[in-house]
Amino acid sequence: MGSGLFAVPFTTSDKVQELMMNYCFDCHDGDSKKGDIQLDNLESLVLEDRLDLLNKVQEQLYIKEMPPKKKKVQPNAKDRQSLLDWISVELGNHNASTLEEKLRYSNYGNYVDHEKLFSGEVKEKAFSPERRWLVNPRIFNERVMDVFRLDRNDRNRFKQRQDGVLAGVKNPFIIPEHSGVRDYDVRMLNGGHLLVMITNAKWIAKKQIYSALLKMPKKQALIDDLNSTRIAGTTVNSISGLDSWYPKVTPEAFEKIVLMNRLPTDGEMAAAVQEQFGCVLRRNATKQELAKYVELLSSSITLAGNSEGLQQMLFAVLLESDFLYRLELGGVEIDEFGRRKLTPQEASFAISYALGDLSPDHELL
């Protein structure tokens, strides 16, 4: 705690002083200081210490942990809100409220004031903001297996492994299982997340066309490279062989481009783009997306050849936000209250993930 020598000017209204006298100072004045918390000297604290203390008080008041339930004298809803409003203003003046940031996360969802929610005083129509939800590790692994269109037997074989995932893929986000929270609304990606995403995309894109590459004349170099990553004693296409695994079949639209001895036509490139959107995002590319990715594929093939150019397009689609997140952005139509319904695809993913940690089947999509 700071001393008066470094204090920042700070005052409280008579009303706030009265409320704190009635509900706070019995346990948190200079004599008692329960939990090493003192509230009757706020004006003498340096700014950083005062903001830290007010954040603690704000959270305890908001979730109704303070005053303790065993206390006979409790603030009514109006008094509690008055204290919260005062603290919110003080913290807001310095953009320092940690509670407001925490409440954006789903693991704080149960702290909604249910009395207020169901009292009828809230007149606004319910809505959720646009959100991007991270999927939990099980769903992420299923999504990767969706890209390769693995059948149920192959999926079960992966799940029986100790780590339960493909060797070259890592979930960019670590979500703690003990929290009970299945997914998070995250707004910022850092360099570490991006690096993992790029590494994943490169590995997946290469594996997607590996079977086709093995049909080319220079396949021996690929086999030698594959064997160098394989555990001794395992077969080339064995799941237990770590990075030696690859899908047995390359999608026809990809294989055609890999094996042809000419530049692909616009139609052939469009078919490859739509195939990748189906594998990765479970939907068709829009007209704008199709034009963008056909242009990327064409320029990449011109620079690096059919196989490398195709991998570049596959890689780029794997970095689309639809693959890493479950989106809740809504459709185009806006109702009279300014709200937008989830698109059918957004709703199908939300339902399927909630019920079984699996991607939706074709009927639900």
Side-chain angles (χ1 to χ4, degrees):
M1 295 294 182
S3 67
L5 180 63
F6 303 100
V8 175
F10 172 80
T11 59
T12 56
S13 68
D14 292 341
K15 175 63 175 176
V16 169
Q17 283 287 353
E18 179 185 353
L19 291 174
M20 295 183 72
M21 181 72 71
N22 291 339
Y23 304 117
C24 305
F25 290 166
D26 279 354
C27 298
H28 300 294
D29 63 5
D31 295 327
S32 52
K33 295 178 63 175
K34 284 190 176 180
D36 201 28
I37 299 294
Q38 182 178 349
L39 298 177
D40 62 353
N41 66 335
L42 290 172
E43 68 281 353
S44 69
L45 302 180
V46 295
L47 179 61
E48 182 179 358
D49 290 340
R50 184 166 66 247
L51 294 177
D52 180 61
L53 183 54
L54 287 176
N55 266 307
K56 293 176 181 177
V57 174
Q58 183 187 41
E59 182 163 341
Q60 292 298 303
L61 276 171
Y62 184 85
I63 64 178
K64 298 183 179 179
E65 289 293 326
M66 289 294 167
K69 292 180 174 59
K70 64 182 180 181
K71 283 283 186 180
K72 293 182 179 180
V73 179
Q74 293 285 333
N76 58 33
K78 183 178 179 180
D79 286 346
R80 186 180 294 273
Q81 191 60 50
S82 294
L83 283 170
L84 284 169
D85 289 344
W86 165 68
I87 295 174
S88 181
V89 169
E90 291 297 328
L91 292 172
N93 288 338
H94 303 280
N95 193 27
S97 174
T98 58
L99 176 64
E100 291 178 8
E101 181 61 29
K102 288 178 180 179
L103 291 176
R104 299 177 188 273
Y105 289 82
S106 54
N107 50 329
Y108 275 75
N110 287 332
Y111 293 128
V112 172
D113 187 334
H114 287 71
E115 292 180 6
K116 182 176 181 180
L117 182 63
F118 296 108
S119 67
E121 64 180 284
V122 178
K123 304 299 182 182
E124 295 84 359
K125 294 294 182 180
F127 74 98
S128 297
E130 294 180 347
R131 292 181 290 194
R132 302 174 305 166
W133 291 98
L134 282 173
V135 298
N136 70 42
R138 293 181 297 278
I139 295 174
F140 178 79
N141 294 339
E142 286 287 338
R143 280 191 166 186
V144 174
M145 289 187 274
D146 284 342
V147 173
F148 295 117
R149 294 182 172 165
L150 299 184
D151 61 27
R152 186 51 51 190
N153 289 334
D154 279 338
R155 290 172 190 252
N156 289 336
R157 290 170 65 200
F158 276 112
K159 291 175 183 178
Q160 289 169 5
R161 289 179 47 188
Q162 184 175 2
D163 55 8
V165 297
L166 294 156
V169 178
K170 180 180 179 182
N171 193 329
F173 297 90
I174 305 301
I175 299 179
E177 296 288 346
H178 67 270
S179 70
V181 178
R182 298 168 67 84
D183 40 22
Y184 287 86
D185 180 12
V186 175
R187 290 165 174 76
M188 296 296 294
L189 293 176
N190 62 35
H193 298 143
L194 185 59
L195 181 61
V196 173
M197 291 165 60
I198 290 173
T199 302
N200 286 346
K202 287 181 178 179
W203 187 89
I204 295 171
K206 181 179 180 180
K207 295 296 184 180
Q208 282 186 279
I209 63 170
Y210 211 93
S211 290
L213 292 173
L214 289 176
K215 296 180 180 181
M216 298 180 70
K218 297 181 180 180
K219 67 178 182 180
Q220 188 58 48
L222 291 170
I223 295 174
D224 292 342
D225 179 61
L226 198 66
N227 285 330
S228 69
T229 64
R230 181 164 55 91
I231 294 176
T234 60
T235 59
V236 169
N237 201 32
S238 168
I239 287 177
S240 61
L242 293 181
D243 202 25
S244 63
W245 178 88
Y246 60 90
K248 299 175 183 178
V249 178
T250 295
E252 182 180 355
F254 302 162
E255 182 170 303
K256 188 174 183 179
I257 292 177
V258 170
L259 298 180
M260 66 176 51
N261 294 317
R262 57 175 174 80
L263 295 177
T265 65
D266 287 348
E268 289 165 336
M269 289 189 290
V273 170
Q274 291 290 19
E275 178 71 23
Q276 183 68 339
F277 266 72
C279 290
V280 176
L281 307 180
R282 305 292 303 280
R283 64 177 177 85
N284 289 327
T286 65
K287 184 177 180 180
Q288 292 78 11
E289 289 170 332
L290 185 60
K292 180 179 77 171
Y293 279 103
V294 166
E295 181 180 359
L296 171 65
L297 179 54
S298 177
S299 60
S300 298
I301 286 176
T302 300
L303 289 172
N306 285 11
S307 298
E308 291 296 329
L310 177 61
Q311 280 191 66
Q312 186 61 38
M313 183 275 290
L314 303 180
F315 166 81
V317 176
L318 285 160
L319 292 179
E320 286 279 344
S321 61
D322 302 36
F323 182 56
L324 185 62
Y325 298 99
R326 178 175 68 80
L327 302 181
E328 289 183 356
L329 304 180
V332 177
E333 295 184 8
I334 299 176
D335 71 10
E336 59 184 305
F337 303 105
R339 302 175 301 177
R340 291 183 291 179
K341 291 183 178 180
L342 296 181
T343 66
Q345 185 175 41
E346 289 172 345
S348 68
F349 274 96
I351 293 169
S352 187
Y353 289 164
L355 294 178
D357 285 345
L358 298 172
S359 297
D361 57 24
H362 291 291
E363 291 185 3
L364 188 57
L365 280 173

